[in-house]
Amino acid sequence: MITVDNLVKSFSSRAGSVRALNGVSLEVQAGSVCGVVGPSGAGKSTLARCIALLERPDSGAIRVDGTDLVSLDGSRLRAARRQIGVVPQGDSLLRQRTAAGNIALPLESAGVDGPVRRKRVGELLDLVGLTDKAASYPDQLSGGQRQRVAVARALAANPAVLLADEPTSALDPETTGSVLTVLDRARAELGVTVLVVTHDMAVVRRICDDVAVLEDGKVVEHGKVLDLVSDADSRTAATLLPGLDQGEGLIGTHDRVADVVLVGFAAVGALLPEASNRFGVELAVLGGGLTRLGETPVARFRVGINGERADSALEWISEAGAVVRRTPKGPQGVAA
Amino acid sequence: MISVATVFATLFGIPLGVLLHVSAPNGLRPLPVLHRILGVVADFGRSVPFIVLIVLLQQIVTRPLLSTSIGPTAAIVPLAIGAVPFLGRLVQSALREVDATVVEAAVTTGASRLRIVRSVLLGESAPALVSAVGVTAVTLVGFSAIAGVVGGGGLGDLAIRYGYQRYDDRIMWTTVIVIGLLAMLLQFLFDRVARLIDRRRHVTA
Ligand SMILES: Nc1ncnc2c1ncn2[C@@H]1O[C@H](COP(=O)(O)OP(=O)(O)OP(=O)(O)O)[C@@H](O)[C@H]1O
Ligand SMILES: [Mg+2]
């Protein structure tokens, strides 16, 4: 749905020139939620602004639904913009208009008016759960409610794509949840493709199918979240999975030590106890834990195994669908 | 006299302010040459002392337009024209206060420039615009007193004729106080309206 191809964007100022995007390529499937993460200054907002057609890249292509948007102008540019709903970074609501009035703005731009517009605004207020706040002004709403109005506004003209830049950055964890629920509903009920820029891994954990890690204007990692967490070396795994740094003192007392990543219901519940029974080994969890990525439970454990058939047990766990990585040479390998 | 001049100044001052704002280098429609020209006109217009403006306009506008150059009606012309650049700059700075993120959000909805000007720039700064018109009206009270020189009538006329020319202190001070009260009343009314239409949370001290 969204294809970004080798995007380059530099900013020049008196202080010199900054290459904010240095050949960024990205692919977001229709109907999926893709997170863009990375350290401050990595170019996340610049990427989002390019796709939102607020910034013109120096080179490269941006295709939404197959149409290249980079070269558009005038009324065709405005028409393309209606295909892309944007929740900008920061407060972006009209403060002199009610929630309903804000949501109506894109419909006014599209020439939708009268009862049709009112009906659509009503539907959107319902979607974001703010029907009772229709007549409230932004200053009478909480941060999370304002952000939900901004999402509703971005969705008003029925865009194919929704871009959200740090939609939860100013919110506490609970309020963040309400905004993420709305983004998730937008995908589920309206079928929009969502690109969400965030520095908060909780956002990726909760709603993203895919993730792209940006660093210094380059994509250093891109793929399905569930695939990336299985790769012990990925940054996504490092930040999303439970930490392993507990219990290192115990490592030396085991014949084998391995890190095991388990994805999905069946695996997480039963695999380790069953391996223990089957091979008659003593299996201890040294570190790690359980988490949830979207609806999927995911676990990463550091396990210590004692027993003759320790290797066979690890093999079996691996064949049963878990990702197993042995910690080389027990304690020395970890301590180094 | 003041009300007609204020209406006229509003009619032209707001578009001038909008043009100044949108034609700026980082505006909605950067037009450097127009921006420069309007800027020069606005600043030049404001820097001409009002008394000079009266005399200047007598010859080139007032007489051809109204076939008279003295009296209350004639005074409206320099008052209105003098106030346009003044209000224009006030409007420009009011529009500058509208958050760039808010404007960008509207741009991403595919809104035309005209709609952005109307719904976003003017809509969001409405309270500030009312205040700006108020400040202009109050300033016009002062200017209108000067217009007394050309027989503009009104309080300024009175103050000059009786106070300055006939040394009648009582009338002069009375008119000064009345002018002051009028200015305060106008300011109060405009502030009131501005607050009334403002939907932002008020900081109450
Ligand atoms: N308009 C601009 N003019 C000059 N430099 C800019 C501009 N916008 C961004 N940059 C520079 O480009 C780089 C990337 O900025 P960007 O805002 O995309 O980062 P980011 O990943 O969104 O960071 P954050 O997480 O802090 O929002 C930074 O070095 C920034 O200074
Ligand atoms: Mg950013």
Side-chain angles (χ1 to χ4, degrees):
Chain A
M1 176 52 84
I2 311 173
T3 310
V4 174
D5 194 15
N6 207 13
L7 216 58
V8 175
K9 173 74 188 174
S10 308
F11 295 104
S12 42
S13 61
R14 262 162 292 159
S17 138
V18 184
R19 191 164 263 215
L21 298 178
N22 195 2
V24 169
S25 299
L26 198 66
E27 175 86 45
V28 186
Q29 299 300 323
S32 69
V33 179
C34 179
V36 175
V37 299
S40 189
K44 305 183 297 291
S45 292
T46 308
L47 175 62
R49 290 172 56 82
C50 283
I51 302 175
L53 308 179
L54 287 170
E55 213 83 70
R56 218 168 262 250
D58 304 339
S59 67
I62 298 166
R63 280 186 289 277
V64 168
D65 221 357
T67 323
D68 191 349
L69 304 178
V70 167
S71 54
L72 295 181
D73 252 320
S75 63
R76 292 182 57 203
L77 175 62
R78 284 199 292 277
R81 279 179 168 147
R82 277 183 212 123
Q83 281 298 298
I84 303 170
V86 181
V87 182
Q89 183 164 11
D91 260 330
S92 65
L93 296 182
L94 297 172
R95 296 174 77 191
Q96 306 290 357
R97 279 198 185 198
T98 60
N102 269 284
I103 298 172
L105 184 72
L107 298 169
E108 294 165 16
S109 308
V112 179
D113 44 32
V116 184
R117 184 162 81 206
R118 274 197 297 281
K119 182 163 167 287
R120 180 87 186 119
V121 170
E123 289 166 5
L124 287 155
L125 280 164
D126 185 46
L127 180 85
V128 300
L130 290 174
T131 306
D132 55 330
K133 299 287 183 191
S136 299
Y137 289 90
D139 282 16
Q140 301 166 330
L141 299 172
S142 71
Q145 291 169 337
R146 281 202 294 276
Q147 212 52 289
R148 274 142 71 195
V149 173
V151 173
R153 175 179 63 186
L155 292 169
N158 260 321
V161 166
L162 179 67
L163 286 181
D165 193 351
E166 301 280 9
T168 62
S169 65
L171 308 177
D172 60 58
E174 202 170 313
T175 321
T176 294
S178 71
V179 174
L180 295 183
T181 303
V182 164
L183 291 178
D184 207 36
R185 275 186 86 175
R187 179 259 301 270
E189 292 176 24
L190 309 175
V192 286
T193 306
V194 182
L195 189 80
V196 54
V197 170
T198 184
H199 67 269
D200 181 3
M201 286 312 269
V203 173
V204 176
R205 193 193 302 281
R206 278 273 322 259
I207 62 165
C208 293
D209 304 303
D210 296 355
V211 66
V213 183
L214 224 60
E215 233 178 70
D216 284 336
K218 289 200 149 145
V219 176
V220 293
E221 198 168 295
H222 178 33
K224 296 211 163 309
V225 175
L226 291 180
D227 291 346
L228 287 171
V229 291
S230 305
D231 174 1
D233 294 324
S234 75
R235 291 155 209 255
T236 308
T239 44
L240 280 185
L241 294 181
L244 292 171
D245 41 8
Q246 325 100 300
E248 296 207 339
L250 300 169
I251 288 175
T253 64
H254 295 275
D255 295 338
R256 290 283 178 277
V257 174
D259 295 341
V260 179
V261 176
L262 303 155
V263 177
F265 289 93
V268 169
L271 212 54
L272 296 184
E274 193 175 342
S276 170
N277 286 336
R278 239 174 225 250
F279 296 91
V281 293
E282 186 191 318
L283 198 150
V285 172
L286 306 178
L290 190 71
T291 184
R292 203 172 254 278
L293 299 175
E295 298 291 298
T296 313
V298 175
R300 175 165 67 171
F301 295 115
R302 174 158 291 169
V303 293
I305 308 181
N306 278 329
E308 279 178 19
R309 299 175 69 198
D311 285 322
S312 315
L314 283 174
E315 202 112 320
W316 181 82
I317 292 172
S318 166
E319 274 161 20
V323 179
V324 174
R325 189 157 88 151
R326 287 163 206 239
T327 307
K329 288 197 190 150
Q332 296 93 325
V334 175
Chain B
M1 184 167 64
I2 291 166
S3 52
V4 175
T6 303
V7 168
F8 181 90
T10 307
L11 247 39
F12 289 86
I14 289 182
L16 173 64
V18 168
L19 281 177
L20 275 167
H21 182 72
V22 299
S23 65
N26 53 359
L28 279 175
R29 183 87 180 86
L31 292 167
V33 177
L34 179 70
H35 186 69
R36 272 271 175 69
I37 294 173
L38 290 177
V40 168
V41 170
D43 292 338
F44 200 75
R46 280 183 312 152
S47 66
V48 177
F50 187 61
I51 186 88
V52 177
L53 195 68
I54 294 174
V55 179
L56 211 67
L57 290 176
Q58 261 180 7
Q59 303 306 321
I60 50 179
V61 183
T62 315
R63 213 193 315 256
L65 197 69
L66 302 170
S67 54
T68 174
S69 59
I70 52 167
T73 319
I76 289 173
V77 174
L79 277 177
I81 291 179
V84 168
F86 180 79
L87 180 57
R89 280 298 189 196
L90 289 181
V91 168
Q92 182 191 15
S93 63
L95 299 184
R96 245 196 314 249
E97 292 304 309
V98 178
D99 197 330
T101 315
V102 177
V103 178
E104 267 185 6
V107 169
T108 64
T109 67
S112 63
R113 288 193 193 96
L114 190 65
R115 180 169 299 284
I116 292 173
V117 168
R118 248 185 21 210
S119 302
V120 181
L121 291 178
L122 295 179
E124 283 296 283
S125 60
L129 294 180
V130 170
S131 292
V133 172
V135 169
T136 306
V138 169
T139 308
L140 283 177
V141 171
F143 280 4
S144 77
I146 302 175
V149 172
V150 289
L155 291 165
D157 207 11
L158 220 60
I160 294 212
R161 235 181 298 174
Y162 291 89
Y164 180 70
Q165 287 165 356
R166 296 193 198 165
Y167 307 103
D168 187 334
D169 280 359
R170 237 192 43 212
I171 291 187
M172 192 177 77
W173 282 113
T174 313
T175 51
V176 165
I177 288 167
V178 170
I179 288 173
L181 286 176
L182 180 64
M184 279 167 61
L185 178 71
L186 275 173
Q187 190 72 63
F188 173 78
L189 286 177
F190 275 97
D191 280 350
R192 201 48 198 272
V193 173
R195 279 179 82 85
L196 217 64
I197 62 169
D198 195 347
R199 304 306 187 173
R200 290 169 300 181
R201 195 169 16 224
H202 296 302
V203 183
T204 38

